[in-house]
Amino acid sequence: MAPMGIRLSPLGMAVFCLLGLGVLYHLYSGFLAGRFAFFMLSEPAAGGPETPRGSAPGGAVDLRELLAVSVLAAVRGGEEVKRVREGNVLNAKAKGKTREGAEEQLTTGDLLSNRRMFYLLKGAFPAVQINSEERVDTADQETVSWDRSIPEDIKQKIQPKEVPAESVTVWIDPLDATQEYTEDLRQYVTTMVCVAVNGKPVIGVIHKPFSSYTAWAMVDGGSNIKARSSYNEKTPRIIVSRSHAGKVEQVARQTFGNKTVIIPAGGAGYKVLALLDVPEKNQEEADVYIHVTYIKKWDICAGNAVLRALGGHMTTLTGEEISYTGSDGNEGGLIASINMNHKALIEKLPDLEKTSHK
């Protein structure tokens, strides 16, 4: 005998289908709601803060933006330097000795400028490596924000250019010429930021806090500074550190003659500006910059980048390019020039390299 069949009325079939559709709608709408919520949480709210560029390893960094924030960092650091000096609250103390035995000074100006510059740059580009002359104390951490605005002169001269964040190293000198700063020789004092990509200096910012003059340049980009119209190659004016002017003077006069002028000065930033067209009456002019001893990379990176951007050169005394990765010091001394035969200058000064490692 055949089993009894179950027959559904048309009304029952309709109810069954409606129930099935209801279940499917409920499941699918829940899935869509979840996806929509995820999307909204992933996107920044309109008008809210943007995610910092270069905030994660493997991200990209826009060099134009990095130039803009570097200029701002140098200026903000310079404000601290000026405020401390004018308030005469330096609290200077020795932090060690140079290889030549000279005492290195540390002031409140160094520390406050360093804190302001470091955290401004780190807040804007968290994934970028930042090397600074002064130690960053996490107990003194402060939030220094950047509104991501780019000055008009940078917008007009520099095009956006992205590079991998891991290829970038930023070098900060929060107060160049600290010794002169303690002696109130304000014209020598600068704050500096340099950006190196794969070890090559590509962005340089040199700011003079006491005159508010700022020079910046980007390799294969643009600049707000230029070379002078002429330089003297036969009897060049050579600018050197105040601490070892005598060492260079003897060799320079043997090489170029007794009419060679030696200009003792403080601060690597000031010395690089002496090679360029700077519209300031208290800025001396030179044709060549020579340093014959060990020097830190944060002292010279910004100047190196500015000179490279303008077609000039800064090398060791044997003509080697200086790499801005690895150690923080340059062992080979340096010679810097612009619109001159740099190779010929190096060949004329072979004896200076011997003293650079002492």
Side-chain angles (χ1 to χ4, degrees):
M1 186 177 185
M4 183 179 294
I6 298 175
R7 296 179 57 125
L8 290 176
S9 68
L11 179 60
M13 287 289 291
V15 170
F16 181 78
C17 289
L18 286 173
L19 287 172
L21 288 172
V23 171
L24 289 173
Y25 173 79
H26 177 73
L27 293 173
Y28 190 63
S29 63
F31 171 78
L32 287 177
R35 296 298 295 172
F36 180 73
F38 175 80
F39 173 78
M40 291 300 291
L41 289 171
S42 300
E43 290 294 312
E50 294 183 35
T51 302
R53 308 293 175 88
S55 60
V61 171
D62 181 3
L63 290 180
R64 185 172 74 165
E65 289 189 347
L66 193 44
L67 168 60
V69 76
S70 295
V71 170
L72 182 60
V75 171
R76 291 278 179 86
E79 291 170 355
E80 298 297 321
V81 168
K82 184 178 180 181
R83 181 174 62 83
V84 169
R85 178 66 265 183
E86 292 184 343
N88 199 28
V89 286
L90 276 67
N91 297 316
K93 59 183 179 181
K95 68 174 182 179
K97 291 183 180 292
T98 66
R99 290 190 179 184
E100 295 80 37
E103 201 170 72
E104 285 193 290
Q105 297 287 317
L106 178 68
T107 70
T108 302
D110 293 90
L111 297 174
L112 293 180
S113 174
N114 184 67
R115 186 171 69 183
R116 182 60 56 90
M117 293 173 71
F118 178 87
Y119 285 113
L120 177 57
L121 287 157
K122 198 65 177 175
F125 295 95
V128 166
Q129 172 69 35
I130 301 177
N131 296 336
S132 177
E133 179 173 7
E134 307 305 338
R135 186 175 63 88
V136 178
D137 191 343
T138 54
D140 292 332
Q141 183 171 348
E142 64 176 83
T143 301
V144 187
S145 60
W146 175 46
D147 62 6
R148 312 208 77 82
S149 63
I150 299 176
E152 283 302 317
D153 59 340
I154 293 179
K155 277 185 181 179
Q156 292 172 7
K157 296 179 180 181
I158 307 293
Q159 296 299 314
K161 181 179 180 180
E162 290 193 342
V163 297
E166 62 268 22
S167 70
V168 175
T169 306
V170 177
W171 295 84
I172 299 175
D173 193 340
L175 201 171
D176 190 36
T178 299
Q179 180 62 45
E180 287 73 19
Y181 182 65
T182 63
E183 297 172 21
D184 209 16
L185 298 173
R186 304 182 182 194
Q187 70 272 24
Y188 296 127
V189 176
T190 63
T191 58
M192 297 188 286
V193 181
C194 176
V195 177
V197 178
N198 295 321
K200 295 182 178 180
V202 298
I203 290 174
V205 179
I206 305 174
H207 175 68
K208 301 179 80 171
F210 297 102
S211 67
S212 299
Y213 175 78
T214 307
W216 59 261
M218 177 173 159
V219 175
D220 297 327
S223 69
N224 72 342
I225 190 171
K226 61 183 180 179
R228 298 200 309 272
S229 58
S230 63
Y231 295 85
N232 189 337
E233 292 196 53
K234 291 185 178 179
T235 54
R237 293 163 294 180
I238 301 176
I239 194 163
V240 300
S241 291
R242 294 167 71 218
S243 58
H244 60 259
K247 293 181 182 179
V248 181
E249 184 173 5
Q250 182 180 0
V251 176
R253 291 199 167 147
Q254 289 174 354
T255 304
F256 298 107
N258 291 330
K259 292 183 179 180
T260 301
V261 175
I262 302 298
I263 305 172
Y270 178 89
K271 296 184 190 81
V272 168
L273 292 179
L275 306 182
L276 304 172
D277 186 9
V278 176
E280 289 198 333
K281 62 181 181 180
N282 66 349
Q283 174 66 61
E284 296 166 285
E285 292 185 353
D287 302 302
V288 180
Y289 166 27
I290 293 175
H291 189 88
V292 299
T293 59
Y294 176 84
I295 191 168
K296 295 289 190 175
K297 290 178 181 177
W298 42 67
D299 289 320
I300 59 176
C301 185
N304 197 341
V306 169
L307 289 172
R308 281 190 71 218
L310 299 177
H313 303 275
M314 180 185 287
T315 65
T316 66
L317 294 171
T318 56
E320 297 173 352
E321 296 293 334
I322 301 168
S323 174
Y324 293 91
T325 56
S327 70
D328 60 15
N330 171 49
E331 297 277 358
L334 71 83
I335 179 168
S337 69
I338 186 168
N339 292 349
M340 297 178 71
N341 187 333
H342 192 76
K343 184 178 179 181
L345 287 172
I346 293 168
E347 291 172 351
K348 288 179 180 179
L349 299 169
D351 295 333
L352 286 177
E353 197 275 334
K354 295 176 184 177
T355 66
S356 65
H357 299 283
K358 293 181 180 179

